Amino acid sequence: INCFEEVVEENPSDVLANNHLGAIYALKEKHTKAIEAYNRGLKYDPNHPILQFNIAKSYAEIGETQKALSFYEGALRAKPGWTDAIEAYADLLLGENRVSEADTAVTQALELYPDDVKMHTAKGNVFNRQSIFESAESEFKKALDVDDEYKNALTGLAHSLENQGKVEEAVNAITKAESLNPNDTKIMKQSAHIHISANKLDEAYDKISKLQEIN
């Protein structure tokens, strides 16, 4: 942070330095400071897709959803078909219950990138939100055929399997996600829920106790 702040102080128009500074603040979960850095970069390059993508993520983290959506849209105008941005944009749309818009964005991207892990995962998330769990399972498995360690596909698959009553398979999927991401509290919470569904109460209790220790 000190290095990049020194660079930015000497040259505020250094777009990359502002982006890196913002990204470091975001890693420290200081999103207000991150947004300041990204905005400074956007002042000099308002159509920079990476700056728009990163500021959208920080706005989403602090609950400024409409601003986040606007910047995701800006990033996609500057860089159409960017799967990272489409995935994050679709997730945020789903969070706002704008399922049809999320579905449209993901479906169009899948036509361009039929083997893309993130787009199959995003399509699975759309199906999950629509409670079409068998189709969701199929999409997540397509994603995992390409990358069997992709976190979002594993957690999405676990959700769709749990909702179909395939609790043992759901436990296997979430356990793999948890082993690959042992410090992810969202996965830990989902894992506790799935273990309760599977009537594995001792395991669920251990996970809930660990979560309570963390928070």
Side-chain angles (χ1 to χ4, degrees):
I1 286 174
N2 290 338
C3 289
F4 281 116
E5 283 188 337
E6 187 174 331
V7 173
V8 168
E9 186 175 345
E10 292 180 7
N11 184 11
S13 64
D14 190 324
V15 172
L16 289 178
N18 279 303
N19 179 64
H20 290 315
L21 180 60
I24 296 165
Y25 274 125
L27 284 171
K28 291 174 67 68
E29 298 187 1
K30 295 184 177 182
H31 292 287
T32 301
K33 296 285 286 184
I35 288 166
E36 288 177 9
Y38 297 139
N39 269 324
R40 190 165 46 240
L42 287 166
K43 178 181 176 182
Y44 296 98
D45 189 351
N47 295 315
H48 197 290
I50 295 173
L51 279 169
Q52 296 205 52
F53 176 66
N54 284 339
I55 198 172
K57 290 194 292 183
S58 281
Y59 272 126
E61 287 291 334
I62 64 173
E64 294 274 2
T65 305
Q66 294 309 311
K67 289 181 180 178
L69 288 170
S70 178
F71 277 109
Y72 279 135
E73 289 162 4
L76 288 167
R77 282 193 297 270
K79 190 177 178 181
W82 185 9
T83 55
D84 285 340
I86 294 168
E87 183 185 35
Y89 179 56
D91 281 345
L92 201 55
L93 287 170
L94 290 175
E96 292 294 292
N97 206 31
R98 293 162 62 175
V99 180
S100 177
E101 292 171 70
D103 193 13
T104 298
V106 172
T107 300
Q108 290 173 350
L110 265 174
E111 291 174 1
L112 294 172
Y113 308 106
D115 299 320
D116 188 85
V117 171
K118 292 174 181 175
M119 292 304 92
H120 280 297
T121 300
K123 186 68 173 180
N125 288 333
V126 170
F127 280 133
N128 267 346
R129 179 54 62 88
Q130 296 170 321
S131 298
I132 309 174
F133 297 116
E134 287 186 10
S135 296
E137 177 186 349
S138 175
E139 291 296 330
F140 293 127
K141 286 182 175 178
K142 288 176 185 176
L144 292 167
D145 283 342
V146 180
D147 181 358
D148 65 356
E149 295 186 351
Y150 188 55
K151 176 177 75 172
N152 293 345
L154 286 167
T155 58
L157 175 62
H159 180 77
S160 63
L161 290 168
E162 181 185 13
N163 279 278
Q164 293 177 77
K166 300 177 180 179
V167 289
E168 290 299 330
E169 292 179 62
V171 166
N172 291 338
I174 201 62
T175 299
K176 182 172 182 178
E178 200 171 7
S179 68
L180 294 167
N181 305 273
N183 298 317
D184 191 317
T185 55
K186 289 182 180 178
I187 293 178
M188 208 181 301
K189 182 179 178 183
Q190 184 183 1
S191 181
H193 190 284
I194 290 171
H195 278 82
I196 291 170
S197 294
N199 203 33
K200 297 179 183 291
L201 303 183
D202 288 342
E203 293 92 333
Y205 180 84
D206 289 342
K207 295 175 192 304
I208 294 166
S209 297
K210 187 175 180 180
L211 282 164
Q212 287 181 316
E213 289 176 8
I214 295 168
N215 182 358

